[in-house]
C-alpha cells in the first residue's frame, strides 16, 4: 500500500478551500484542510471531507451511456458517443438551424475547471446558437441587473475591508459559504472583535442570524419594504454621507419621495417586525462609517430580486460605503485580468442590463447582464415555430431537478430530439438523456481559484478578503479502466467531430470579457494541451500565471500594492438612486396582495451536507431526503408530528415531505431545500429521495420581470397531513 499527500483545491462548493488530499494506491482516501493556509486556516466542511465517496462510490459513472430503443441504457465508449452526438447535432442544425441547439451549464460547469465557461462560449459561437442557459438567472440575477439601474462604483466596496457593519439579507454563509471566502466564523469573529455590528434579515433564525447583533425575522418576500423603511429613516434623519452623495449621486430626491410612505409603522405592519427594529437597523447601518449590505438567494428568489438588490445598492451608496481615492485595495484580484479590475474612485453611470441581444419567444424576455433567462428554457423547447429548440447539451448541472417548474422542464426535456447530459452519476437529467457522458472529478483535473477571484466583480459581499491565488495540478488519475472526460474536452472533441473551429477567449468567456482580447484558435485535429489552455485562460492576470503556478499550496500576492486612483479629470458619471422603473416597482410593493387559501409560505434554504442536488445518497452525507422544517407550533396546529409525511400544495402542484420540528423557522413558513426527489410520475420514496420544491413553481407565474426568475422562495402553499398512500 502506498500513500501520499498532495495539496489541492476543493471544488465541491464555491469556497474553494485549500486542502490536503491523501491518496492511497492511486485512490482519493482522505480530504482535510490545509492548516498552513493563511486565509482558510485549515477550514473544511463536511461536504468537502466526505467527497472521497464521489471517487469511490459504485454509483459513479465510469463509462458513458447511450439510451437503447427500449429505453434502457447501455455503456458506450465516450469517443463513440461523441461521434454519434456530433452526427445528430449536425443533422439538427442542418434541418432546423443553429438556434435549435441550446446548452445548459450548471454549477459544476463553473466550478471544476476554469476552462469550461470560455469553452462553452466558444462551442456555442461555433454552432451559431445564442441559447446558452446557466443557473445564473435562477440564482441571484438581481445583482448584475440592479447595477444596470444604479450604475457601478469603479472601485471596490468596503465589503471585507474592515467593515464596521454588515447587513445580510437572506444569506447564511455559515452553511452556504456565500459571503467572504474562507472560514465563515473567522470573518464574524473579526467583525465582533473590532466592535463591528451584524444585522441579519431572515425569516429563519439561521446559524448566521444567531450571531447577529440585530436579527429581523420578517415575513418572507417583504425585503423591499424593509429596505425602503431603512432608507426612509436614513433620509429623514439626515444620516447619509452628504459629501459623497453631493459629488457622486443623482436621484436622491426621487428616492426620498418614493420611500416616504414606508414609515416604520407601515413597514412593521407589512413585514411583521417591530417598528423600532427598522429604525435601529437603519441607524446602526448608517452610523457605522464603513460597511456593506448583501443579499443571498432568499430575497433574490422572491420574484423581486432586481428591486431588492437595487435598494441594497442605494443603501450602500447613500452611506458612502465605497472605496475612495488613495485607499489600498486589499483584495487586488490575482488571476482576473488587471485591465478589468475596478480601481478608480468614480461612478459608472447606469447602463442597459436587459432588453438587448437575443429576444426569447416568451414573456418579452431578452438577454440580460446575468445571462439568458433560464426560466424560458422549457418554453423555448416546447413552443413550436421558428427557432424551437430540438437539442440540449447539459454540462455540470441538473436541469430536471433544479430549474423551477420541474413538471414543465421534464416534459420539455422528454420532448427533445436529442438530450446529452455530462454527469458523474445517473441524476434525474441523466435518466432522461439520449447520451450520458461520464465526467472526470475535480482532483482528476488541474484547477485554479479564478472563479472565486472573480466574485467581487459580480457583487458586493462575496469573494476573498486578500489577494490569494491558487493553482492545483491533477492529483489522481481517473480510476483504472474508466472512460471519463473533462467537460471542456468533451465540448472541444464534439466540435472537432462536427467540423467546427473553436476560438477560445481568455478569462471566463462572456462572464468576464476583456475588451480587445483575441481568441486562441484551437487545433481541432488533436486534444489541446491543458497547460497551454490554462496559460491562455489566465492571460493578462495581475500576477503572471507562471508565478502563481510556482506555489503548490497557493500564495498571497499583495505586491505590487494597488491603490484606488482619483477620479479621471472631467469625469461626470453619477450613481442613480432614483431610477423611475425601480421606484415604480417599489411603489407597487405597498399594495401587493397574496392569494387566498395558502396560509403558509415555502422558503428556500441550503443543507449543510449537500451542494444543491444530492450526490450519491450515501449514509455519510446524511442527506437522503430534504425535510420540511416547520415551527413546532405549526406542527401542533396541523396535527402532525416530527417524522410524519406532509403534503405541500401550491397553485401549481403538490409534493410530499418529511416534517421536522425547528423553532428557528418563523411560524407560518416552511423551510425546505431544493433539488431533491425523482422525476414526476415515478413513484418515489420520500424518506429515501426527498421531494422537489421546483415542482411547486410555475415558470410563467409570478416572476422578476427583468430576469424572468420565477418566485422560488416565499411560495404560497397549503400544508396537510399526507394522504395515507404517500406516508
Ligand atoms: N426551488 C429552487 N430551485 C433552485 C434553487 C432554490 O433555492 N430553490 N437554487 C438555484 C440555484 S442557486 C442553483 S445554483 C441551481 C443549481 O442547479 P444545478 O447547477 O443544475 O445543480 P447542481 O446540483 O449544483 O449540479 C448538479 C449536477 O452536477 C453533477 N455533478 C456533481 N459533481 C460534478 C462534477 O464534479 N462534475 C460534473 N461534470 N458533474 C458533477 C451532479 O450529479 C448533478 O447532476 O439550482 C437552482 N434551483
Ligand atoms: N451546504 C451548501 N452550501 C451551498 C449550497 C448548498 O446547496 N449547500 N448551494 C450553493 C449555491 S448554488 C448558492 S447560490 C449559495 C446560496 O447561498 P445563500 O444565499 O447564503 O443560501 P441559503 O443558505 O439558502 O440562505 C438563504 C437564506 O434566505 C432565507 N430566505 C428565504 N426567503 C427569504 C426572503 O423572502 N427574505 C429573506 N430576507 N430571506 C429569505 C432563508 O431562510 C435562508 O436562510 O450557497 C451555495 N453553498
Ligand atoms: S466549504 Fe466548500 S470548498 Fe470548502 S471544504 Fe466545504 S465543500 Fe469544499
Ligand atoms: Mo446557486
Amino acid at each position: 500500500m502506498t500513500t501520499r499527500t498532495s495539496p489541492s483545491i476543493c471544488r465541491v462548493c464555491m469556497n474553494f478551500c485549500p486542502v490536503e488530499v491523501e491518496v492511497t494506491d492511486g485512490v482519493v482516501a482522505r480530504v482535510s484542510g490545509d492548516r498552513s493556509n493563511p486565509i482558510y486556516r485549515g477550514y473544511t466542511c463536511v461536504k468537502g471531507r466526505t467527497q472521497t465517496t464521489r471517487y469511490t462510490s459504485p454509483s459513479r459513472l465510469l463509462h458513458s451511456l447511450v439510451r437503447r430503443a427500449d429505453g434502457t441504457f447501455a455503456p458506450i465508449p465516450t469517443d463513440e458517443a461523441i461521434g454519434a452526438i456530433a452526427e445528430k447535432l449536425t443533422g439538427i442544425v442542418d434541418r432546423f438551424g443553429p438556434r435549435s441547439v441550446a446548452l445548459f451549464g450548471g454549477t459544476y460547469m463553473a466550478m471544476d475547471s476554469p476552462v469550461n465557461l470560455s469553452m462553452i462560449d466558444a462551442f456555442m459561437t461555433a454552432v451559431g446558437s445564442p441559447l446558452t442557459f446557466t443557473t445564473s438567472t435562477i440564482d441571484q440575477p438581481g445583482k448584475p441587473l440592479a447595477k444596470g439601474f444604479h450604475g457601478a462604483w469603479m472601485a471596490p466596496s468596503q465589503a471585507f475591508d474592515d467593515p464596521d457593519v454588515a447587513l445580510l439579507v437572506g444569506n447564511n454563509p455559515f452553511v452556504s459559504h456565500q459571503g467572504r471566502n474562507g472560514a465563515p466564523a473567522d470573518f464574524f469573529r473579526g467583525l465582533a472583535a473590532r466592535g463591528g455590528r451584524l444585522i441579519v434579515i431572515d425569516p429563519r433564525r439561521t446559524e448566521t442570524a444567531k450571531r447577529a447583533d440585530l436579527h429581523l425575522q420578517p415575513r418572507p418576500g417583504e425585503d423591499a419594504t424593509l429596505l425602503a423603511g431603512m432608507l426612509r429613516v436614513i433620509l429623514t434623519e439626515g444620516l447619509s454621507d452628504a459629501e459623497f452623495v453631493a459629488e457622486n449621486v443623482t436621484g436622491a430626491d426621487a428616492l426620498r419621495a418614493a420611500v416616504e410612505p414606508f414609515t416604520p409603522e407601515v413597514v412593521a405592519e407589512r413585514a411583521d417586525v417591530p417598528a423600532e427594529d427598522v429604525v435601529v437597523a437603519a441607524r446602526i447601518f448608517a452610523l457605522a462609517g464603513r460597511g456593506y449590505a448583501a443579499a443571498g438567494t432568499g430575497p433574490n428568489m422572491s420574484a423581486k430580486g432586481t428591486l431588492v438588490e437595487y435598494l441594497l445598492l442605494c443603501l450602500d451608496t447613500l452611506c458612502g460605503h465605497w472605496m475612495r481615492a488613495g485607499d489600498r485595495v486589499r483584495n487586488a484580484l490575482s488571476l482576473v485580468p488587471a485591465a478589468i479590475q475596478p480601481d478608480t474612485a468614480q461612478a459608472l453611470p447606469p447602463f442597459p442590463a436587459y432588453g438587448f441581444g437575443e429576444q426569447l419567444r416568451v414573456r418579452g424576455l431578452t438577454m440580460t447582464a446575468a445571462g439568458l433567462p433560464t426560466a424560458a428554457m422549457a418554453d423555448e423547447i416546447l413552443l413550436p415555430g421558428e427557432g424551437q429548440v430540438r437539442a440540449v447539451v447539459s454540462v455540470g448541472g441538473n436541469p430536471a431537478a433544479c430549474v423551477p417548474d420541474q413538471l414543465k422542464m421534464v416534459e420539455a426535456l422528454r420532448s427533445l430530439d436529442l438530450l446529452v447530459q455530462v454527469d458523474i452519476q445517473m441524476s434525474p437529467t441523466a435518466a432522461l438523456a439520449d447520451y450520458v457522458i461520464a465526467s472526470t472529478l475535480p482532483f482528476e483535473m488541474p484547477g485554479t481559484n479564478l472563479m472565486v477571484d472573480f466574485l467581487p466583480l459580480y457583487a458586493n459581499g462575496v469573494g476573498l478578503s486578500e489577494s490569494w491565488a491558487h493553482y492545483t495540478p491533477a492529483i489522481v488519475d481517473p480510476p483504472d479502466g474508466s472512460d471519463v472526460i473533462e467537460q471542456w474536452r468533451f465540448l472541444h472533441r464534439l466540435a472537432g467531430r462536427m467540423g467546427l473551429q473553436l476560438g477560445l477567449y481568455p478569462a471566463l468567456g462572456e462572464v468576464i470579457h476583456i475588451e480587445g482580447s483575441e481568441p486562441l484558435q484551437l487545433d481541432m485535429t488533436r486534444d489541446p494541451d491543458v497547460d497551454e489552455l490554462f496559460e491562455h485562460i489566465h492571460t493578462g492576470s495581475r500576477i503572471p500565471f507562471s508565478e502563481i503556478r510556482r506555489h503548490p499550496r497557493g500564495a498571497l500576492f499583495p505586491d505590487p500594492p494597488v491603490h484606488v486612483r482619483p477620479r479621471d479629470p472631467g469625469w461626470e458619471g453619477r450613481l442613480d438612486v432614483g431610477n423611475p422603473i425601480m421606484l415604480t416597482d417599489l411603489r407597487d410593493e405597498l399594495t401587493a396582495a397574496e392569494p387566498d387559501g395558502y396560509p403558509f409560505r415555502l422558503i428556500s434554504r441550503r443543507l449543510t451536507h449537500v451542494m444543491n442536488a444530492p450526490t450519491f445518497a450515501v449514509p455519510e452525507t446524511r442527506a437522503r431526503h430534504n425535510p420540511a422544517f416547520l415551527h413546532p407550533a405549526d406542527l401542533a396546529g396541523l396535527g402532525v408530528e416530527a417524522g410524519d409525511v406532509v403534503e405541500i400544495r401550491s397553485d401549481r402542484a403538490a409534493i410530499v415531505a418529511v416534517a421536522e420540528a425547528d423553532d428557528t423557522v418563523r411560524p407560518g413558513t416552511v423551510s425546505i431545500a431544493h433539488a431533491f426527489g425523482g422525476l414526476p410520475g415515478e413513484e418515489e420514496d420520500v424518506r429515501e429521495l426527498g421531494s422537489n420544491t421546483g415542482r411547486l413553481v410555475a415558470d410563467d407565474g409570478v416572476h422578476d420581470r427583468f430576469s424572468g426568475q420565477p418566485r422560488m422562495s416565499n411560495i404560497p402553499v397549503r400544508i396537510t397531513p399526507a394522504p395515507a398512500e404517500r406516508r
Side-chain angles (χ1 to χ4, degrees):
M1 199 169 82
T2 59
T3 294
R4 61 183 162 87
T5 301
S6 307
S8 189
I9 307 172
C10 176
R11 282 155 276 171
V12 173
C13 91
M14 209 74 99
N15 206 24
F16 279 42
C17 298
V19 287
E20 296 199 318
V21 185
E22 213 173 278
V23 178
T24 301
D25 293 339
V27 178
V28 172
R30 185 163 183 270
V31 177
S32 54
D34 181 349
R35 286 170 191 273
S36 70
N37 188 278
I39 296 189
Y40 293 76
R41 300 190 319 109
Y43 179 81
T44 53
C45 81
V46 63
K47 303 189 303 301
R49 293 189 299 272
T50 56
Q51 72 184 294
T52 50
T53 58
R54 295 183 177 220
Y55 292 80
T56 54
S57 168
S59 308
R60 175 176 179 192
L61 282 177
L62 296 176
H63 297 273
S64 298
L65 300 169
V66 56
R67 177 191 296 279
R68 290 186 283 223
D70 68 357
T72 61
F73 286 98
I76 179 173
T78 296
D79 232 32
E80 201 180 311
I82 292 173
I85 295 165
E87 199 174 302
K88 292 203 169 148
L89 272 181
T90 305
I92 288 168
V93 172
D94 287 349
R95 190 148 165 236
F96 301 108
R99 197 190 190 274
S100 63
V101 177
L103 185 142
F104 180 81
T107 55
Y108 283 97
M109 175 278 298
M111 280 192 307
D112 71 13
S113 170
V115 181
N116 291 343
L117 266 161
S118 197
M119 192 65 86
I120 278 172
D121 286 346
F123 179 79
M124 291 301 276
T125 301
V127 169
S129 170
L131 296 195
T132 299
F133 297 100
T134 71
T135 51
S136 169
T137 47
I138 50 169
D139 190 327
Q140 295 151 87
K143 291 182 191 298
L145 273 156
K147 278 192 199 165
F149 290 109
H150 168 269
W153 190 243
M154 293 169 72
S157 70
Q158 296 172 345
F160 304 127
D161 270 59
D162 302 327
D164 298 314
V165 67
L167 167 65
L168 299 187
V169 188
N171 174 211
N172 187 18
F174 275 93
V175 168
S176 70
H177 304 90
Q178 183 194 301
R180 195 199 66 165
N181 287 90
D186 282 358
F187 172 68
F188 294 101
R189 236 183 259 132
L191 182 68
R194 276 195 314 278
R197 314 289 285 277
L198 174 64
I199 309 168
V200 171
I201 301 179
D202 199 307
R204 187 162 65 88
R205 189 157 42 81
T206 59
E207 295 75 358
T208 308
K210 284 176 186 158
R211 283 151 167 107
D213 297 282
L214 180 62
H215 173 209
L216 281 70
Q217 196 171 4
R219 285 195 184 101
E222 292 295 343
D223 303 289
T225 311
L226 268 166
L227 298 174
M230 288 177 64
L231 285 162
R232 184 182 184 278
V233 172
I234 290 169
L235 287 164
T236 53
E237 296 189 0
L239 307 180
S240 46
D241 181 336
E243 198 182 316
F244 182 83
V245 171
E247 268 177 34
N248 300 294
V249 181
T250 178
D253 290 338
L255 179 65
R256 187 190 302 273
V259 298
E260 185 47 37
F262 292 81
T263 61
E265 294 68 32
V266 166
V267 171
E269 171 71 23
R270 276 203 72 92
D272 189 27
V273 293
E276 173 71 8
D277 283 1
V278 180
V279 178
V280 172
R283 287 183 187 152
I284 295 176
F285 187 74
L287 294 171
R290 300 173 65 79
Y292 73 100
T297 43
N300 271 278
M301 289 179 177
S302 62
K304 25 190 129 150
T306 307
L307 176 61
V308 170
E309 292 286 353
Y310 180 77
L311 297 174
L312 289 170
L313 288 174
C314 291
L315 271 174
D316 272 335
T317 290
L318 284 187
C319 298
H321 286 162
W322 303 104
M323 285 207 200
R324 310 302 168 81
D327 285 353
R328 162 114 197 266
V329 181
R330 211 162 75 185
N331 179 16
L333 311 178
S334 310
L335 286 158
V336 166
I340 59 165
Q341 297 198 28
D343 65 350
T344 310
Q346 64 191 25
L348 179 72
F351 51 88
Y354 69 105
F356 56 85
E358 182 64 13
Q359 304 281 314
L360 294 178
R361 295 181 298 152
V362 289
R363 301 191 281 291
L365 295 170
T366 64
M367 186 63 181
T368 75
L372 211 54
T374 294
M377 183 172 145
D379 280 335
E380 285 289 357
I381 297 170
L382 291 169
L383 192 68
E386 182 78 26
Q388 182 178 12
V389 172
R390 312 276 176 158
V392 169
V393 177
S394 162
V395 286
N398 190 1
C402 289
V403 177
D405 208 337
Q406 191 199 28
L407 295 174
K408 196 198 269 185
M409 179 52 85
V410 169
E411 182 195 342
L413 295 175
R414 282 191 204 279
S415 76
L416 287 166
D417 294 350
L418 179 67
L419 174 60
V420 179
Q421 168 75 355
V422 183
D423 211 323
I424 58 165
Q425 63 179 344
M426 280 310 278
S427 62
T429 309
L432 297 172
D434 300 293
Y435 292 89
V436 185
I437 300 295
S439 170
T440 33
L441 281 165
F443 294 140
E444 296 160 357
M445 290 177 263
T448 67
N449 69 333
L450 174 61
M451 202 67 205
V452 168
D453 202 42
F454 148 79
L455 285 176
L457 293 185
Y458 166 71
N460 302 338
V462 287
L464 286 153
S465 59
E466 312 283 336
S467 302
W468 168 258
H470 199 170
Y471 161 83
T472 174
I475 55 167
V476 288
D477 290 328
D480 283 344
S482 66
D483 182 17
V484 294
I485 190 169
E486 298 93 329
Q487 302 178 56
W488 59 262
R489 199 186 301 275
F490 162 71
L491 292 170
H492 175 267
R493 266 195 215 167
L494 179 58
R497 298 290 276 271
M498 292 171 76
L500 303 173
Q501 173 60 42
L502 298 186
L504 190 78
Y505 278 96
L508 296 176
E510 292 279 327
V511 181
I512 329 180
H513 183 75
I514 314 161
E515 210 65 46
S517 68
E518 286 297 320
L520 176 70
Q521 292 306 324
L522 301 178
D523 182 346
M524 303 308 292
T525 61
R526 60 171 181 93
D527 271 355
D529 174 54
V530 66
D531 288 334
E532 212 176 290
L533 292 190
F534 267 56
E535 273 293 341
H536 176 65
I537 284 293
H538 300 96
T539 304
S541 53
R542 186 179 68 89
I543 307 299
F545 183 60
S546 54
E547 169 62 19
I548 290 165
R549 271 192 80 147
R550 287 188 33 249
H551 304 268
R553 290 175 182 273
L556 289 168
F557 293 98
D559 298 318
V562 174
H563 290 93
V564 176
R565 299 191 306 123
R567 174 199 298 266
D568 292 337
W571 184 269
E572 286 180 356
R574 280 172 179 267
L575 303 171
D576 185 3
V577 296
N579 179 277
I581 297 175
M582 289 289 100
L583 296 187
T584 306
D585 282 7
L586 177 60
R587 188 197 57 206
D588 294 345
E589 284 297 284
L590 280 173
T591 48
E594 294 288 10
D596 286 334
Y598 298 95
F600 282 89
R601 293 291 173 272
L602 183 149
I603 55 173
S604 61
R605 68 171 299 140
R606 264 68 192 146
L607 292 173
T608 310
H609 298 85
V610 284
M611 169 69 185
N612 301 321
T615 307
F616 310 136
V618 286
E620 291 96 308
T621 66
R622 283 194 276 135
R624 287 150 73 193
H625 69 85
N626 49 340
F629 296 98
L630 282 153
H631 193 275
D634 283 336
L635 281 184
L638 292 166
V640 162
E641 287 187 16
D644 287 355
V645 178
V646 291
E647 182 183 89
I648 305 175
R649 181 174 290 280
S650 71
D651 62 3
R652 174 76 173 108
I655 57 172
V656 290
V658 183
E660 287 293 342
D662 182 352
D663 67 2
T664 68
V665 174
R666 185 189 148 93
T669 65
V670 50
S671 169
I672 175 167
H674 68 293
F676 281 71
L679 290 168
E682 290 173 11
E683 207 41 58
E684 294 161 29
D685 180 350
V686 66
R687 290 179 199 279
E688 280 302 319
L689 276 178
S691 45
N692 192 284
T693 59
R695 206 176 291 181
L696 298 171
V697 177
D699 65 7
D700 54 2
V702 180
H703 63 277
D704 183 289
R705 60 191 175 114
F706 312 104
S707 66
Q709 184 178 26
R711 184 153 154 174
M712 298 157 65
S713 189
N714 190 31
I715 305 166
V717 293
R718 175 157 83 227
I719 303 179
T720 50
E725 73 278 7
R726 301 295 318 261
R727 277 180 222 176

